[in-house]
Structures are given as C-alpha cells and as structure tokens.
Amino acid sequence: MSSDALPESSKSDSPESAVPLSDPAARAGGILEIDLSALAANWQRLVAESAPAEASAVVKADAYGLGVAEAAPALWQAGARTFFVAQLDEALTLRALLPQARIYVLNGLMAGAEADYPAHDLRPVLNSLEELGRWRQTLGARPHPAALQIDSGMSRLGLEARELARLASEPQRAAGLEITHLMSHLASADVPGSPQSEQQLAEFLAARQTLAAALGPAGASLANSAGVFLGPAYRFDLTRPGSALYGINPTPGRSNPMRQVVRLKGKILQLREIDPLRGVGYGASWRAQGPTRIATVAVGYADGYLRSLSNSGEALVGGHKAPVVGRVSMDLITLDVTAVPEAAARPGTFAELLGPDLPVDTVGDAAGTIGYEILTSLGRRYHRVYRGGAA
Ligand SMILES: *Cc1c(COP(=O)(O)O)cnc(C)c1O
C-alpha cells in the first residue's frame, strides 16, 4: 500500500488534481522507516541459528505490520523459500508477490475455499481430522503438499490426542497425501526455563512416533523465534520464526541478538511552556510540577500509538529522553521536553518513538503489552520509507 495513495475522489479530473502535491514526508505526521537490510540480516542470523534445519519466514499480519509487499521480496532475496501466513487471503497476496515460494496457511483449510489452495499452489496446515478428510476430497487423485499440526499444549489449533490416536489406528486417512511436515506450536518458548517447552517437546516427539506409519517420511517443525534459541532439540527440519525477523527479542532476559528494523518518528507541531499545576491532555491526567516545556507530536492512538502509553511511554528527542505526559489522544501525544535542548525540540523536528535506541520490546513493556502488538498496530497514516534491501 502506498502511503501517498489518494482517495478516488482526489484522483478525478477536478481542477484541484492539476496542482501537484507537496512531499509526502512534509505532509505526514509520522514517518515510519523500515530497514530491509536489518530484516535481511535478522533472517541470516536465524538461518545460522536454525542450521541444519531450514528456516522459514512467518509473514502473517502484513509481515507483523511492516508491509508484506516489501518485506516478503526482501526475505526472498535474502534466501527465504518457505513462508507462513495465517489466512488464505494473505497467502493469495503473497503468491502474487512470490510466484516460486512455498506458502503455508496456518489457520488451515477454509471450508468453501478448498479449491483455492491447489489452484494457487498454497499449502494448508491441516488442523483436524475433518480438515484432513476435506483435503483428500478436494485433491482426489492429485497430490498436493500440506502440513499437519498437532496440539501439544497450546489448546488452540491442531489435532487433539484422541484424533492423533485415531489417525494412528486408521492410517488410510492420510493415504496418498503429501504431508511435508508434522508441526506444533510452543506456548511458552519466550519464558526462560519454562517446563512447558520441555513438556511440549516430549509430546511432540511422542506424536511423531505414534504417527510414523501414517505419515511416512514427513519432516517436523516446532520452533517459533524463541523456540529456535531453546537449543538444537527444538529445531527439527524447519523453524518458523516471525517476530525475531522484525526485531523482537527471541531471548527475553538476555541481550537482543536481533537488529531493530523499524524507526518511527513523530513530527513536533508545537511547543509551549506551562506553569506548575497546569494539566496536560484529556482529563488533565498529568500536571506539571514546575515550569515545564511540552512538545505536541502528530501521532496518536489512531496511528497505533497505544493509548496505554499515556503517562508511561517515552520518546527520544535529539537523543534525549522525553516522557509521554498526559493521555495519548487520537491524533496527538504530548511530551515533556523540559530537559531537551531547545534546538532539538522545535516545530518540524522529530521525536523518535521506536528505533534502535527505543526497541519495540521496551515500548511494548511501557504499554503493558508485547512488541508484537506494537508492530502489528503500526498505523496506515504514516509516511512509510523502505531502506536497504534489493529495491
Ligand atoms: C505466529 C506463529 C509463528 C511465529 O511466531 P513468532 O513468535 O513470531 O516467531 C510460528 N508458528 C505459528 C504456528 C504461529 O502462529
């Protein structure tokens, strides 16, 4: 999606349309820079960490909010050949971008849309015996690759234990199917030392044994980003990192081995000096304790700058910390820039809201959420700039 796309009405041949618009960066309230070189470097890091298993790339939810149209080709260029998305429509979008990629649909085989998978060379992650049966009916005699997911403790998607036992005793249910991987998903890979990861690994290994006859030579896939860093036992044949590609720390509690991919800059619109006890923002939820300088920045919750960052977020202005004071409103935030040199905080200069010195995980913490939600909430009003990569 181009950020300077105009609504249909402004593209008409009305007299106004003859006037060329100014630079989109000058018009925008926020500028989102996405570093495709950092994305490629993160990919290489995950390839090295996954080896000898293949690393895939999870690009669901518009590549975690970064823009799949730019991220997927950059990942392909870096060497990624296997991709995962959540939804069938995401897979169709990705197919148009990457004609040669292996594309898996995590959410499974959508009823009523079965024919789209073989027609566009897409691979469902089959999540139940019912889906397995429908997939066989769809294919008839023409085999087409798919993955099969078992529930090893997430209680969300995949075959349950009794379905697993049923498939083991009725292996003809999978006869003639090309199951590339048996897979499952870890619930607590990002919790250091969680016993749940070991329990899921044990269940997954047992399921492989149980299904060995039914599935034949299928590979195996268990690890998400954090799972890759749990050690070789978790990597099997194919790893499925998503978040780490985009800069989220896959080793919580330890230093982040990944590079930051996004930088978000909000434009300072105005500055004002306020007196002690004067309120800032809706509900006057913050009051100045002494003479205070406030910078108003043109980014708000409508841009995905979460309202829970009210009085808890932090920005960098000219490299100096500037706390978010008062409530985040729809289109604006207010920063305390009293400690920032005046030259750095002027109308037209930028407050950094995300970036190498303000990682997504830190902002997620401040918002009472996780970096994943910060990235997938990134708004559509930003002027997006893609740097590096092949383009
Ligand atoms: C989203 C997802 C992934 C990627 O997880 P990250 O934690 O972002 O690396 C892998 N596997 C499944 C099944 C997923 O849903």
Coordinates of all heavy atoms in Angstrom, one line a residue, residues 42-43 45-46 49-50 55-58 60 64 184-186 188-191 221-231 234-235 238-252 254 256-258 372:
N42 N 18.7 -10.1 10.0 CA 18.0 -10.9 11.0 C 17.7 -12.3 10.4 O 17.8 -13.3 11.1 CB 16.7 -10.2 11.5 CG 17.0 -9.0 12.4 OD1 18.1 -8.9 12.9 ND2 16.0 -8.2 12.6
W43 N 17.2 -12.3 9.2 CA 17.0 -13.5 8.5 C 18.2 -14.4 8.5 O 18.2 -15.6 8.9 CB 16.5 -13.3 7.1 CG 16.6 -14.4 6.2 CD1 17.5 -14.7 5.2 CD2 15.8 -15.6 6.2 NE1 17.4 -15.9 4.7 CE2 16.3 -16.5 5.3 CE3 14.7 -16.0 7.0 CZ2 15.8 -17.8 5.1 CZ3 14.2 -17.3 6.8 CH2 14.7 -18.1 5.8
R45 N 20.8 -14.3 10.5 CA 21.1 -14.8 11.8 C 20.2 -16.0 12.2 O 20.7 -16.9 12.8 CB 20.8 -13.6 12.8 CG 21.0 -13.8 14.2 CD 22.5 -13.8 14.5 NE 22.8 -13.9 16.0 CZ 22.7 -15.0 16.6 NH1 22.4 -16.2 16.0 NH2 23.0 -15.0 17.9
L46 N 18.9 -16.0 11.8 CA 18.0 -17.1 12.1 C 18.4 -18.3 11.3 O 18.2 -19.4 11.8 CB 16.6 -16.6 12.0 CG 16.1 -15.6 13.0 CD1 14.9 -14.8 12.6 CD2 15.8 -16.3 14.3
E49 N 21.3 -19.8 13.1 CA 20.9 -20.4 14.4 C 20.1 -21.7 14.2 O 20.1 -22.6 15.0 CB 20.1 -19.3 15.2 CG 20.0 -19.6 16.6 CD 21.3 -19.4 17.4 OE1 22.0 -18.4 17.0 OE2 21.5 -20.1 18.3
S50 N 19.3 -21.7 13.1 CA 18.5 -22.9 12.8 C 19.2 -24.1 12.2 O 18.7 -25.2 12.4 CB 17.3 -22.5 11.8 OG 16.5 -21.5 12.4
A55 N 15.2 -22.6 7.8 CA 14.4 -21.6 8.5 C 13.4 -21.1 7.5 O 13.7 -20.8 6.3 CB 15.3 -20.4 8.9
S56 N 12.1 -21.0 7.9 CA 11.1 -20.4 7.1 C 11.0 -18.9 7.6 O 11.7 -18.5 8.5 CB 9.8 -21.1 7.2 OG 9.2 -21.0 8.5
A57 N 10.1 -18.2 6.9 CA 9.8 -16.8 7.4 C 8.3 -16.7 7.6 O 7.5 -17.0 6.7 CB 10.3 -15.8 6.4
V58 N 7.9 -16.3 8.8 CA 6.5 -16.1 9.1 C 6.1 -14.6 8.8 O 6.7 -13.7 9.3 CB 6.1 -16.4 10.5 CG1 4.6 -16.2 10.8 CG2 6.5 -17.9 10.8
K60 N 2.8 -13.4 8.4 CA 1.4 -13.1 8.6 C 1.1 -11.7 9.1 O 2.1 -11.0 9.5 CB 0.8 -14.1 9.7 CG 1.5 -14.0 11.1 CD 1.2 -15.2 11.9 CE 1.8 -15.1 13.3 NZ 1.7 -16.4 14.1
Y64 N 3.9 -8.7 10.2 CA 3.8 -8.1 11.5 C 3.7 -6.6 11.5 O 4.3 -5.8 12.3 CB 5.0 -8.5 12.3 CG 5.0 -10.0 12.8 CD1 4.8 -11.0 11.9 CD2 5.3 -10.3 14.1 CE1 4.8 -12.3 12.3 CE2 5.3 -11.7 14.5 CZ 5.1 -12.7 13.6 OH 5.1 -14.0 14.0
S184 N 3.8 -28.4 15.4 CA 3.1 -27.9 16.6 C 3.7 -26.6 17.0 O 4.7 -26.1 16.4 CB 3.3 -29.0 17.7 OG 2.3 -28.7 18.7
H185 N 3.1 -26.0 18.0 CA 3.5 -24.6 18.3 C 3.7 -24.5 19.8 O 2.9 -25.0 20.6 CB 2.3 -23.7 17.9 CG 2.7 -22.2 17.9 ND1 3.9 -21.7 17.5 CD2 2.0 -21.1 18.4 CE1 3.9 -20.4 17.6 NE2 2.8 -20.0 18.2
L186 N 4.8 -23.8 20.2 CA 5.2 -23.7 21.6 C 4.4 -22.5 22.2 O 4.3 -21.4 21.7 CB 6.7 -23.5 21.7 CG 7.5 -24.6 21.2 CD1 9.0 -24.2 21.1 CD2 7.4 -25.8 22.2
S188 N 5.2 -21.3 25.5 CA 6.0 -20.6 26.5 C 7.5 -20.5 26.1 O 8.3 -20.4 27.0 CB 5.9 -21.3 27.9 OG 4.5 -21.3 28.2
A189 N 7.7 -20.5 24.8 CA 9.2 -20.5 24.4 C 9.9 -19.3 24.8 O 11.1 -19.3 25.0 CB 9.2 -20.7 22.8
D190 N 9.1 -18.2 25.0 CA 9.7 -16.9 25.4 C 9.8 -16.8 26.9 O 10.2 -15.7 27.4 CB 9.0 -15.8 24.8 CG 7.5 -15.8 25.2 OD1 7.0 -16.8 25.7 OD2 6.8 -14.8 25.0
V191 N 9.5 -17.8 27.7 CA 9.6 -17.8 29.1 C 10.9 -18.6 29.5 O 10.8 -19.8 29.4 CB 8.4 -18.3 29.8 CG1 8.5 -18.2 31.4 CG2 7.1 -17.6 29.4
S221 N 8.4 -29.7 12.4 CA 8.6 -28.3 12.7 C 7.9 -27.9 14.0 O 6.7 -28.1 14.2 CB 8.0 -27.5 11.5 OG 8.1 -26.1 11.8
L222 N 8.7 -27.3 14.9 CA 8.1 -26.9 16.2 C 8.5 -25.5 16.6 O 7.6 -24.8 17.2 CB 8.7 -27.9 17.3 CG 8.2 -27.7 18.7 CD1 6.7 -27.9 18.8 CD2 9.0 -28.7 19.7
A223 N 9.6 -25.0 16.3 CA 10.1 -23.8 16.9 C 9.6 -22.5 16.2 O 9.8 -22.3 15.0 CB 11.7 -23.8 16.9
N224 N 9.1 -21.6 17.0 CA 8.9 -20.2 16.6 C 10.2 -19.5 16.9 O 11.3 -20.1 17.1 CB 7.7 -19.5 17.3 CG 8.0 -19.5 18.8 OD1 8.8 -20.2 19.3 ND2 7.3 -18.6 19.5
S225 N 10.2 -18.1 16.8 CA 11.5 -17.4 17.0 C 12.2 -17.8 18.3 O 13.4 -18.2 18.3 CB 11.2 -15.9 17.1 OG 10.7 -15.4 15.9
A226 N 11.5 -17.7 19.4 CA 12.1 -18.0 20.7 C 12.5 -19.5 20.8 O 13.5 -19.9 21.4 CB 11.2 -17.6 21.9
G227 N 11.7 -20.4 20.1 CA 12.0 -21.8 20.1 C 13.3 -22.1 19.4 O 14.0 -23.0 19.8
V228 N 13.7 -21.3 18.4 CA 14.9 -21.5 17.7 C 16.1 -21.4 18.7 O 17.1 -22.1 18.6 CB 15.1 -20.5 16.6 CG1 16.5 -20.5 16.0 CG2 14.1 -20.6 15.5
F229 N 15.9 -20.5 19.7 CA 17.0 -20.3 20.7 C 16.9 -21.2 21.9 O 17.7 -21.0 22.9 CB 17.0 -18.8 21.1 CG 17.4 -17.9 20.0 CD1 16.5 -17.5 19.0 CD2 18.7 -17.5 19.9 CE1 16.9 -16.7 18.0 CE2 19.2 -16.7 18.8 CZ 18.2 -16.3 17.9
L230 N 16.0 -22.2 21.9 CA 15.9 -23.1 23.0 C 16.9 -24.3 22.9 O 17.0 -25.1 23.8 CB 14.5 -23.7 23.2 CG 13.4 -22.7 23.7 CD1 12.1 -23.4 23.8 CD2 13.8 -22.1 25.0
G231 N 17.5 -24.3 21.7 CA 18.5 -25.4 21.5 C 18.2 -26.3 20.4 O 17.1 -26.3 19.9
Y234 N 14.9 -28.5 19.6 CA 13.7 -27.8 19.2 C 13.6 -27.5 17.7 O 12.6 -27.0 17.2 CB 13.5 -26.6 20.0 CG 13.1 -26.8 21.5 CD1 14.1 -27.1 22.4 CD2 11.8 -26.9 21.9 CE1 13.8 -27.4 23.7 CE2 11.5 -27.2 23.2 CZ 12.5 -27.4 24.1 OH 12.2 -27.7 25.4
R235 N 14.7 -27.7 17.0 CA 14.8 -27.1 15.6 C 14.2 -28.1 14.6 O 13.8 -27.7 13.5 CB 16.2 -26.7 15.3 CG 16.6 -25.5 16.2 CD 18.0 -25.1 16.0 NE 18.4 -24.3 17.2 CZ 19.7 -24.3 17.7 NH1 20.6 -25.1 17.2 NH2 20.0 -23.6 18.8
L238 N 12.5 -27.8 10.2 CA 12.0 -26.5 9.7 C 11.7 -25.6 10.9 O 10.9 -26.0 11.7 CB 10.8 -26.6 8.8 CG 10.2 -25.4 8.2 CD1 11.1 -24.8 7.1 CD2 8.8 -25.7 7.6
T239 N 12.3 -24.4 11.0 CA 11.9 -23.5 12.1 C 11.0 -22.4 11.5 O 10.9 -22.2 10.3 CB 13.1 -22.8 12.7 OG1 13.8 -22.1 11.7 CG2 14.1 -23.9 13.3
R240 N 10.2 -21.8 12.3 CA 9.2 -20.8 11.9 C 9.3 -19.5 12.6 O 8.4 -19.1 13.3 CB 7.8 -21.4 12.1 CG 7.5 -22.8 11.5 CD 6.0 -23.2 11.6 NE 5.5 -23.0 12.9 CZ 5.6 -23.9 13.9 NH1 6.1 -25.1 13.6 NH2 5.1 -23.7 15.1
P241 N 10.4 -18.8 12.4 CA 10.5 -17.5 13.1 C 9.7 -16.4 12.4 O 9.6 -16.3 11.2 CB 12.0 -17.2 13.0 CG 12.5 -17.9 11.8 CD 11.6 -19.2 11.7
G242 N 9.0 -15.6 13.2 CA 8.3 -14.4 12.8 C 8.9 -13.2 13.5 O 9.7 -12.5 13.0
S243 N 8.5 -13.0 14.7 CA 8.9 -11.8 15.5 C 10.3 -11.4 15.5 O 10.7 -10.3 15.3 CB 8.4 -12.0 16.9 OG 9.0 -13.2 17.5
A244 N 11.2 -12.4 15.6 CA 12.7 -12.1 15.6 C 13.1 -11.4 14.3 O 14.0 -10.6 14.3 CB 13.5 -13.3 15.9
L245 N 12.5 -11.8 13.2 CA 12.8 -11.2 11.9 C 12.7 -9.7 12.0 O 13.4 -8.9 11.4 CB 11.9 -11.7 10.8 CG 12.1 -13.1 10.3 CD1 11.0 -13.6 9.4 CD2 13.5 -13.2 9.6
Y246 N 11.6 -9.3 12.8 CA 11.2 -7.9 12.8 C 11.8 -7.1 14.0 O 11.4 -6.0 14.3 CB 9.7 -7.8 12.8 CG 9.1 -8.7 11.7 CD1 8.5 -9.9 12.0 CD2 9.4 -8.4 10.3 CE1 8.0 -10.7 11.0 CE2 8.9 -9.2 9.3 CZ 8.2 -10.4 9.6 OH 7.8 -11.2 8.7
G247 N 12.7 -7.8 14.7 CA 13.5 -7.1 15.8 C 13.1 -7.4 17.2 O 13.7 -6.9 18.1
I248 N 12.1 -8.2 17.4 CA 11.6 -8.6 18.7 C 12.6 -9.6 19.3 O 13.1 -10.5 18.6 CB 10.2 -9.1 18.7 CG1 9.2 -8.0 18.4 CG2 9.8 -9.8 20.0 CD1 7.8 -8.4 18.1
N249 N 13.0 -9.4 20.6 CA 14.0 -10.2 21.2 C 13.5 -11.7 21.4 O 12.5 -11.9 22.2 CB 14.3 -9.6 22.6 CG 15.5 -10.3 23.2 OD1 16.0 -11.3 22.7 ND2 16.0 -9.8 24.4
P250 N 14.1 -12.6 20.8 CA 13.7 -14.0 21.0 C 14.3 -14.7 22.2 O 14.0 -15.8 22.5 CB 14.2 -14.7 19.7 CG 15.4 -13.9 19.3 CD 15.2 -12.5 19.8
T251 N 15.1 -13.9 22.9 CA 15.8 -14.4 24.2 C 15.5 -13.5 25.3 O 16.4 -12.8 25.8 CB 17.3 -14.6 24.0 OG1 17.8 -13.3 23.7 CG2 17.6 -15.5 22.8
P252 N 14.2 -13.4 25.7 CA 13.9 -12.4 26.8 C 14.8 -12.6 28.1 O 15.1 -13.8 28.4 CB 12.4 -12.7 27.1 CG 11.9 -13.3 25.9 CD 13.0 -14.1 25.3
R254 N 17.8 -11.9 28.2 CA 19.2 -11.7 27.7 C 19.2 -10.6 26.6 O 18.2 -10.2 26.1 CB 19.7 -13.1 27.1 CG 19.9 -14.1 28.2 CD 20.5 -15.4 27.6 NE 19.5 -16.3 27.1 CZ 19.7 -17.1 26.0 NH1 20.8 -17.2 25.4 NH2 18.7 -17.9 25.6
N256 N 19.4 -8.7 23.2 CA 18.7 -9.0 21.9 C 19.7 -9.3 20.8 O 20.4 -8.4 20.4 CB 17.7 -7.8 21.6 CG 16.8 -8.2 20.4 OD1 16.9 -9.2 19.8 ND2 15.8 -7.3 20.2
P257 N 19.7 -10.5 20.3 CA 20.6 -10.8 19.1 C 20.1 -10.2 17.8 O 20.9 -10.3 16.8 CB 20.6 -12.3 19.1 CG 19.3 -12.7 19.7 CD 18.9 -11.7 20.7
M258 N 18.9 -9.7 17.8 CA 18.3 -9.2 16.5 C 18.5 -7.7 16.4 O 18.6 -7.0 17.3 CB 16.8 -9.5 16.4 CG 16.4 -10.9 16.8 SD 17.4 -12.3 16.2 CE 17.3 -12.2 14.5
Y372 N 5.0 -7.5 19.8 CA 4.2 -8.0 18.6 C 3.0 -7.1 18.4 O 2.7 -6.8 17.3 CB 3.6 -9.4 19.0 CG 4.5 -10.5 19.1 CD1 5.5 -10.6 20.2 CD2 4.5 -11.6 18.3 CE1 6.3 -11.7 20.3 CE2 5.3 -12.7 18.4 CZ 6.2 -12.8 19.5 OH 6.9 -13.9 19.6

